[in-house]
Amino acid sequence: MKKRYPRTLSSGANNTVIAISETEAGKLFREDTRSDIGSEADKMKFANRINDLVVKFIRLEEFAENSEMLVMERLYPFDFRAFEYERRELFLDVFEDELHQLHREGFVHRDLRRPSDMPGLTFDNIFLTQTGIRLIDVGISALQQQVGQKLFTRFVEQELLELEAFKAFFLSR
């Protein structure tokens, strides 16, 4: 059974996200996690320098013995079905432009659509917020400078297929 932390917002395959305050959330990294806190922080900071699509990195800190925390802005998602079709189209236009900008600059999220064997909703990592569509969880994201052009291109092509599936989902509801 997975450990439940106070103020838990969500739990994924490797990490739990907790509320720290009204403006901050923390992704917990235990000593046995397969995730790398430094790598995730670096990818988040890289994307944050390009545009506002990826959740904002704030800091790294110790959470408890054998546990670290990546502190990021706390997002409050809206149900996109509360917005008119035309407004959702505008949200999607901005989202697509910002995603392409990240790709041009060498960042690919790689987790728009969750694998079918993963728990959670299909598009769990895409939030509609007060400021538009945002991405969370850059744990498996990739930087072109780290993976090389060939692999990066393959990742972008896959993400563009996931983007098309998300657009259909977002507009069809």
Side-chain angles (χ1 to χ4, degrees):
M1 185 170 166
K2 193 175 247 186
K3 178 177 170 116
R4 177 69 65 188
Y5 293 91
R7 300 179 50 97
T8 294
L9 294 170
S10 66
S11 290
N14 298 313
N15 306 90
T16 297
V17 177
I18 62 169
I20 297 172
S21 71
E22 295 298 312
T23 60
E24 294 182 341
K27 185 172 184 177
L28 305 180
F29 290 76
R30 296 180 322 274
E31 67 177 308
D32 62 345
T33 186
R34 293 179 293 161
S35 303
D36 177 4
I37 191 170
S39 174
E40 190 158 346
D42 287 344
K43 290 182 279 190
M44 194 178 282
K45 288 187 279 188
F46 183 92
N48 291 166
R49 286 191 295 270
I50 298 167
N51 61 36
D52 292 329
L53 187 56
V54 172
V55 63
K56 296 289 181 219
F57 170 83
I58 297 176
R59 68 184 175 277
L60 297 175
E61 67 179 50
E62 188 174 359
F63 176 69
E65 187 176 322
N66 298 323
S67 207
E68 292 81 35
M69 182 169 49
L70 186 155
V71 179
M72 62 199 136
E73 73 178 303
R74 183 172 176 182
L75 298 177
Y76 291 86
F78 292 129
D79 186 332
F80 61 91
R81 295 170 296 179
F83 296 93
E84 299 86 354
Y85 182 88
E86 295 81 8
R87 190 147 177 217
R88 284 184 274 155
E89 285 182 310
L90 290 173
F91 289 138
L92 276 174
D93 286 345
V94 173
F95 175 61
E96 192 168 9
D97 287 348
E98 290 180 336
L99 193 64
H100 288 306
Q101 185 181 20
L102 288 173
H103 293 163
R104 283 191 304 275
E105 297 294 325
F107 176 92
V108 62
H109 187 269
R110 294 195 61 221
D111 204 10
L112 297 183
R113 182 183 188 110
R114 313 239 347 148
S116 59
D117 62 341
M118 294 289 291
L121 301 175
T122 304
F123 297 106
D124 257 357
N125 291 331
I126 303 174
F127 281 15
L128 177 59
T129 71
Q130 185 175 354
T131 60
I133 297 175
R134 305 288 301 281
L135 292 175
I136 62 166
D137 196 358
V138 298
I140 66 166
S141 297
L143 302 179
Q144 183 179 7
Q145 65 192 26
Q146 294 175 339
V147 299
Q149 183 61 44
K150 189 173 182 180
L151 199 53
F152 184 78
T153 299
R154 190 176 93 209
F155 292 157
V156 168
E157 288 169 357
Q158 178 60 41
E159 185 154 286
L160 293 177
L161 293 173
E162 293 174 6
L163 173 62
E164 289 307 310
F166 174 70
K167 287 166 52 173
F169 169 78
F170 192 74
L171 291 175
S172 70
R173 306 279 301 201

